[in-house]
Amino acid sequence: MGALTIKNVCKSYGPVDILKGIDIDIQAGEFLILVGPSGCGKSTLLNMIAGLDGITSGEIQIDGRVVNNLPPKDRDIAMVFQSYALYPNMNIRRNISFGLEIRKVPKSEQDRIVNEVASMLQIDNLLDRKPSQLSGGQRQRVAMGRALARKPALYLFDEPLSNLDAKLRVDMRTEIKMLHERLKTTIVYVTHDQIEAMTLADKIAVMKGGIVQQFGSPRQLYDDPSNMFVAGFMGSPSMNFVPCKVVDMGNEAGVEIDGGAGTFRLPIKSNQLKSSVGQEVMLGIRPEKVTHKIESHLEDPNFHLAKCRVSIKEPTGPDTHIFVHMNGAKVVCRSNPDSAKEPGEEMEMMFDLSKMVFFDPKTEERLV
Amino acid sequence: MSSFSADTPHSSSTMGRIFIYGILLIVAGYFLLPLIVMLFTSVKSMEEIRTGSLISFPTSITFEAWSKAWSSACTGVECSGLSGYFWNSVWLVTPTVTISTFLGALNGYVLTKWNFKGANVFFSMLLIGCFIPFQVILLPMARTLGFLGLAGTTTGLIMVHIIYGLSFTTLFFRNFYVSIPNELVKAAKIDGAGFFMIFWKIMLPLSIPIIVVSVIWQFTQIWNDFLFGVVFSAGEAQPITVALNNLVNTSTGVKEYNVDMAAAIIAALPTLFVYVVAGKYFVRGLTAGAVKG
Ligand SMILES: Nc1ncnc2c1ncn2[C@@H]1O[C@H](COP(=O)(O)OP(=O)(O)O)[C@@H](O)[C@H]1O
Ligand SMILES: [Mg+2]
């Protein structure tokens, strides 16, 4: 139940192209996250999947069935909205059962489902209240309950947690994850929060400007971003970008970096960029891949030590963020608090060479 | 107000209140004076009216004028009081208010939640209807009613009032419904509800404040209307405002001020009643859009 295929879907409002050829394909039971900055077309795409708005061209399949011309009620979907959209005039019980009522589910069956959903979401004691008498977190649960009451092929969530406070958001995130583990249903979930995306998803589609920048598993996106936008968007603090020149290091190519305490060269493993010697590239490396000196890695050829000058030190508790300027770009490094040096001092930083990625500084695309 | 008085000396705040309430009383008295004069005059005998002054308290109270105004005063050649015309107005107002409010709600719902091509142009044109004076549409309307064979009938008058009122009721509901989140309608669509189901089960139950506004507005407009009534209805079918005019202007012998006043109060009572009953909802409804749906 619930595979979703989106083929070359475009959407224009008048002369404005909002979605420009979206291709996404997920298996039944997968958790798909659409993530991207505000205004990139995530909600628009979700509305198209729901059938609340028509597509300009392309094809959407749910469970192998083309749904392009089906109204929302015939698409076998349920949706949770950012504003929850609970019916203010109905009590919670009725809010949850409204969809069942319209589908002419027998009354006794309705009651059974409402009670089941309510106990699953721990809202049993709220059933006779009106939505206005509920807190934000409770409303959120009811909105999910309304979606869960029917057993559709596909659940659609549009930023369901963005109106909750930080603490509740983390709790609900875990609950949604547990719910998915338990129900094994297909979920399409929109968010602009990359942490939500990383923690929840089986598959992530990073969107920008109506285009899917990259589609893949969280790991793929994190380790193998296909362009600088995806690289910078996923992860917090985000990936460091250092402009540098490719140099010849005998067997392999390397990049030359000035870290404020003399220049050093980082060899590029896996025979990359040998043909690009002399060219400018953008080195991408995540903060946790530039660390304090770790003794156990000293023998490993994938790790490289180099002296850099500390500009700023930011303790976060478990680690301390060290800010270093490399070739003029600000680079965040994640250090053990005990090993962190003071601003102005030199510090030996350890680079994980296997996790370096390179981008074309002009097109911002990944270099192979 | 309370925080204001908390940090000012007690006596000066009391003085302030006395001043404010004094002003309010004077203004209220000023506005009430015409009504008081009407009320007093209507329960005086003609004898007392001739001898006493306009605003003096009635020495003996009699309801003769009221009963005459209701059942036997002459409105032209006919002398059977206002009662028949009162019910004419009731039968005129009930369907017009109901239908124009309902259609206004439907219009507002379509305009805000089922965006169609040209919705804005449609709404702008409808809006112009709010600024067209009664007099402008008299002739075209008369021709239309004649064409439809409804000239001089109550049905015709009902139609005129519905059409004229639609601009206003649509405006009320449209402005109210824009503040109701579209996601509510989307959620209902996904739950499987269709056009009318959403209207009945979701939109209308949320519309109580604006329904009250629309009903009060339409009720007072139509009950108090004289021009459409005098132009588009005839004889027996005339509304109470036209009958009141005829009653006051019928000159057979002495002018009976007490009967005139009683008749005027009778004609005004229903609108007064509606305000008293639903007035607080009226104010609440007018500001409802500004707060939250
Ligand atoms: N009905 C519409 N008419 C015109 N433009 C729209 C409409 N709905 C959305 N848009 C535009 O489409 C773009 C994407 O919107 P949306 O999908 O809501 O973005 P988000 O990724 O933040 O959810 C925005 O620029 C928005 O202004
Ligand atoms: Mg959105």
Side-chain angles (χ1 to χ4, degrees), chain A residues 68 105 190 230 257 292:
Chain A
N68 285 17
V105 175
V190 165
V230 176
I257 291 173
H292 59 282

Side-chain angles (χ1 to χ4, degrees), chain A residues 26-226:
Chain A
I26 55 165
Q27 307 289 312
E30 280 192 313
F31 201 128
L32 167 68
I33 296 247
L34 305 175
V35 67
S38 190
C40 70
K42 307 179 296 288
S43 298
T44 306
L45 180 56
L46 205 67
N47 283 342
M48 318 262 112
I49 298 172
L52 292 168
D53 211 341
I55 56 181
T56 307
S57 67
E59 186 175 289
I60 297 178
Q61 293 177 13
I62 297 174
D63 253 345
R65 186 171 61 130
V66 179
V67 295
N68 285 17
N69 296 316
L70 291 182
K73 69 180 168 58
D74 298 330
R75 291 197 179 195
D76 206 9
I77 49 150
M79 191 158 172
V80 177
F81 294 89
Q82 183 169 5
S83 64
Y84 315 137
L86 303 180
Y87 311 125
N89 52 315
M90 302 180 190
N91 65 14
I92 301 311
R93 186 185 301 280
R94 193 90 202 290
N95 261 282
I96 296 175
S97 67
F98 189 60
L100 303 170
E101 211 174 285
I102 293 174
R103 274 152 225 268
K104 306 218 161 38
V105 175
K107 189 79 183 70
S108 58
E109 179 70 2
Q110 284 181 26
D111 290 342
R112 192 189 59 73
I113 294 174
V114 170
N115 290 334
E116 182 187 311
V117 166
S119 71
M120 181 166 28
L121 293 168
Q122 292 146 32
I123 47 175
D124 318 62
N125 53 337
L126 307 175
L127 287 178
D128 295 317
R129 297 204 201 159
K130 287 282 180 67
S132 58
Q133 297 165 304
L134 266 49
S135 71
Q138 290 170 329
R139 286 179 207 188
Q140 212 282 327
R141 277 165 193 276
V142 175
M144 298 222 318
R146 188 167 62 181
L148 291 176
R150 291 186 287 119
K151 300 254 180 311
L154 200 60
Y155 288 99
L156 307 173
F157 288 75
D158 193 352
E159 310 217 13
L161 305 184
S162 61
N163 285 343
L164 300 180
D165 60 56
K167 165 96 173 64
L168 207 52
R169 192 150 60 211
V170 175
D171 293 347
M172 282 308 293
R173 198 170 73 201
T174 317
E175 273 197 51
I176 290 178
K177 179 132 192 164
M178 278 175 5
L179 212 61
H180 178 244
E181 300 279 307
R182 211 166 109 198
L183 301 174
K184 303 266 186 278
T185 46
T186 320
I187 296 179
V188 181
Y189 185 111
V190 165
T191 179
H192 61 262
D193 178 354
Q194 54 86 22
I195 299 183
E196 253 173 50
M198 288 299 283
T199 48
L200 288 172
D202 293 318
K203 292 279 173 58
I204 299 179
V206 180
M207 294 177 61
K208 183 191 163 200
I211 295 172
V212 174
Q213 303 288 322
Q214 191 174 0
F215 173 62
S217 71
R219 265 269 61 86
Q220 276 172 333
L221 265 64
Y222 194 77
D223 289 342
D224 269 325
S226 62

